[in-house]
Every structure is written in C-alpha cells, then in structure tokens.
C-alpha cells in the first residue's frame, strides 16, 4: 500500500494528471509543427469541462513526488485563495504538508467519487461544483466494524456538498476500513473539481481539533439519559449530522407553529420552553 492508501482512486487521479500532461505536450508539438509560437492553450482541456483556472491546474497537477520546495511554496500561496475554508485553521507547517501531498481531480458529470466499500484513504474538499453524498441513516447500536450490514438504499439520505465544503471526517477519525458512504456527481451538466487529502496528511494537519471536538460532544451525549444507550460509533456519526447554532440571549430558537423539522440538543446554556394552550384563558393584561 502506498502513502495514498488504496491504489484505486489514487491511480485514477494520477492517471488523469498523466493524460492531461500528455495532451498538453501533444498540443505544444502541434503548435511547433505549424509554426504557431503562441503560448495560448485555452482549449487544452476543453473536453473535460474543468472550470478551475488553467494556471491553478498547472500547479495542482504536478504529482506529489515531483514537487520541490519552490513548487510547494507556490501551492501554499495558491491554496488559501481557492480553498480558504480548508486552509484558514492550519498552521504554516500543516499547510505545507497539505500542499506537498494533496491530489487534484476533476470528476465529470455522472461519475463516481468514491463507493461505500472503497478503502477510506482520502478526505475530500470541493473546489468547484457539487458532489452528491449518499449515506445510511443512523442506527443507535451500529458498530465501527460493520455499521451498514444488511441495509438497503431505502435507508439512506442524500445531501449535496457544495463548493467550499468538505467530506468526510468520520471514517478517517474512526480508523474505518471503508468509507461507508458513496459520493458521485449528480449534476448532469457540470462536474466537480475536488482536492483529495491523503489520510496521513489529514491526520497530521486536520484531524486533531476535529477529533477533540467530536470526543467532547460524544461524552456530553453519553451522559444523558436518552443517548446513554447509544453506541459510540453511532454518537460519533450523529455529531457530524448536527447543524450547530449559537444563539444570543432573548432569541427565539423556534416559535410555536413552525414546521417540526428539527430535534434540538442543548450543549451549553439553558432555554425556556413556553407553550400557548388555546384551551386556557389568556392571562390578564397588566
């Protein structure tokens, strides 16, 4: 096994890089033969519809083994501009680690990013486009070894990962052998440009604060009566389904009559639940 884990996805990515570089070299030879001395290569990748800027692709498509210190420095300058959500929390050495090892891949419409049973070797960040993530619903006693045994596609939910968002911490944090979810390009017209962070680089640069927050939330949930019987893998997965909000004092979290589309879990502070009972007379006005 290479430092990129499973060879399947890494091989596809590196093969795309090689194919793209071969196309660029062929276009240069054609221009030289016809005496066209221009450097314009705007149509080099017209077939794959990749919307990432050409100069950015040039930097990202250099294989990690060929990136010298100068190239890594250029990537350290590029990544905060095209992936600020990913790089903002990183220290300098962590950013360098990501710049040295990350892979870039363009997934065309309808293609598969990863499968449920594929070895969990990468963390994914969407630069351009959207990715459809299909994952199984929670089962309160699921285990880390066989969390999805016996389930069908009817027991899944799909959510859209948008530009500037990442997926998926959980299998890497739990040291899972497989992803346990599938990801694909659902848009029939537009593909997605994605950064792939190898697990070793994820562990060094991204994992520590995420794992600390997950462990904290799992411990809070396990201390409650309702969640005390849940398995730790189930609680860990629940932590990444939360929509986290911090509300100011004297703020209405929900109003009576709103759609009942959320279950609320109070992690800190306190709130008052007020119910208007129409069968009871309203209190007299002062």
């Amino acid at each position: 096994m290479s430092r990129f884990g499973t060879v399947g996805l890494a091989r596809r990515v590196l093969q795309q890089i090689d194919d793209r570089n071969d196309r660029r070299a062929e276009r240069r030879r054609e221009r030289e033969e016809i005496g066209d001395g221009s450097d314009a290569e705007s149509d080099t990748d017209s077939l794959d519809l990749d919307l990432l800027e050409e100069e950015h692709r040039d930097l990202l498509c250099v294989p990690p083994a060929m990136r010298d210190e100068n190239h890594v420095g250029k990537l350290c300058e590029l990544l905060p501009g095209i992936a600020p959500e990913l790089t903002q929390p990183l220290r300098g050495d962590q950013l360098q680690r990501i710049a040295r090892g990350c892979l870039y891949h363009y997934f065309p419409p309808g293609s598969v990013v990863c499968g449920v049973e594929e070895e969990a070797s990468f963390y994914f960040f969407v630069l351009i486009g959207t990715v459809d993530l299909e994952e199984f619903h929670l089962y309160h006693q699921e285990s880390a070894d066989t969390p999805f045994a016996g389930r069908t596609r009817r027991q899944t939910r799909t959510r859209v990962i948008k530009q500037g968002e990442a997926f998926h911490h959980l299998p890497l944090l739990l040291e899972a052998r497989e992803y346990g979810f599938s990801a694909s390009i659902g848009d029939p017209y537009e593909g997605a440009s994605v950064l792939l962070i190898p697990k070793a680089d994820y562990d060094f640069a991204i994992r520590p604060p995420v794992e600390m927050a997950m462990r904290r939330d799992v411990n809070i949930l396990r201390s409650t009566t309702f969640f005390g019987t849940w398995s730790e893998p189930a609680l860990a997965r629940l932590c990444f389904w939360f929509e986290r909000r911090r509300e100011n004092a004297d703020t209405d979290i929900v109003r009576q009559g709103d759609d009942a589309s959320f279950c609320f879990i109070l992690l800190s502070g306190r709130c008052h639940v007020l119910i208007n009972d129409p069968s009871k007379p309203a209190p007299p006005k002062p």
Side-chain angles (χ1 to χ4, degrees), residues 132-271:
D132 287 0
L133 187 70
E134 186 177 51
E135 54 191 348
F136 291 97
H137 288 300
L138 277 167
Y139 169 55
H140 75 289
Q141 287 298 321
E142 64 187 39
S143 70
D145 296 328
T146 56
F148 311 114
R151 303 199 198 179
T152 67
R153 290 197 64 183
R154 289 187 177 182
Q155 297 170 295
T156 63
R157 70 164 190 171
T158 299
R159 59 191 179 99
V160 177
I161 310 299
K162 301 177 182 178
Q163 178 175 326
E165 296 179 347
F167 66 98
H168 202 294
H169 291 288
L170 189 61
L172 304 183
L173 292 176
L174 297 184
E175 302 292 343
R177 186 174 64 87
E178 301 169 347
Y179 283 116
F181 65 89
S182 63
S184 61
I185 310 303
D187 191 314
Y189 304 107
E190 183 177 314
S193 302
V194 180
L195 275 183
L196 292 79
I197 313 299
K199 183 179 183 304
D201 300 329
Y202 171 88
D203 287 345
F204 176 82
I206 300 172
R207 176 176 184 147
V210 177
E211 184 171 29
M212 183 181 300
M214 182 192 74
R215 297 298 178 193
R216 179 200 63 213
D217 292 346
V218 166
N219 288 335
I220 291 174
L221 292 173
R222 294 187 75 176
S223 68
T224 67
T225 302
F226 181 80
F227 291 108
T229 59
W230 286 41
S231 67
E232 185 168 340
L235 290 176
R237 202 148 71 92
L238 178 63
C239 289
F240 291 99
W241 285 30
F242 288 152
E243 177 183 317
R244 299 173 185 272
R245 288 160 48 181
R246 179 176 292 275
E247 303 288 357
N248 296 323
D250 300 322
T251 299
D252 289 332
I253 298 175
V254 64
R255 293 177 179 272
Q256 187 169 338
D258 290 350
D259 290 339
S261 55
F262 283 93
C263 168
F264 296 92
I265 302 172
L266 193 63
L267 293 178
S268 64
R270 62 181 179 176
C271 65

Side-chain angles (χ1 to χ4, degrees), residues 5-156:
T6 180
V7 297
L9 182 54
R11 181 179 294 163
R12 296 206 314 265
V13 173
L14 295 174
Q15 185 62 54
Q16 186 188 72
I17 291 174
D18 289 342
D19 291 346
R20 179 178 178 276
N21 290 337
D22 288 344
R23 292 199 304 271
R24 289 173 59 83
E26 184 177 352
R27 291 298 178 91
R28 290 193 186 97
R29 288 195 297 270
E30 290 176 354
R31 288 188 174 90
E32 290 174 359
E33 290 174 358
I34 64 176
D36 183 357
S38 69
D39 293 329
E41 298 183 1
S42 60
D43 59 343
T44 300
D45 290 316
S46 59
L47 294 179
D48 64 20
L49 303 178
D50 191 343
L51 298 179
L52 191 68
E53 292 185 23
E54 183 76 14
E55 60 180 314
H56 297 168
R57 275 181 279 167
D58 287 345
L59 287 172
L60 290 167
C61 284
V62 172
M66 299 176 60
R67 296 175 187 173
D68 56 19
E69 292 301 322
N70 180 57
H71 193 91
V72 171
K74 291 180 179 179
L75 284 174
C76 287
E77 295 177 358
L78 170 66
L79 289 174
I82 64 173
E85 300 87 352
L86 174 70
T87 61
Q88 191 275 331
L90 303 180
R91 304 188 309 264
D93 60 329
Q94 294 171 329
L95 177 59
Q96 288 182 351
R97 179 69 176 262
I98 297 297
R100 188 176 299 280
C102 69
L103 299 176
Y104 170 74
H105 195 63
Y106 171 76
F107 294 92
S111 62
V112 174
V113 178
C114 65
V116 173
E117 298 181 351
E118 189 168 339
E119 185 180 341
S121 301
F122 293 100
Y123 178 65
F124 304 90
F125 183 86
V126 181
L127 294 171
I128 294 178
T130 60
V131 175
D132 287 0
L133 187 70
E134 186 177 51
E135 54 191 348
F136 291 97
H137 288 300
L138 277 167
Y139 169 55
H140 75 289
Q141 287 298 321
E142 64 187 39
S143 70
D145 296 328
T146 56
F148 311 114
R151 303 199 198 179
T152 67
R153 290 197 64 183
R154 289 187 177 182
Q155 297 170 295
T156 63

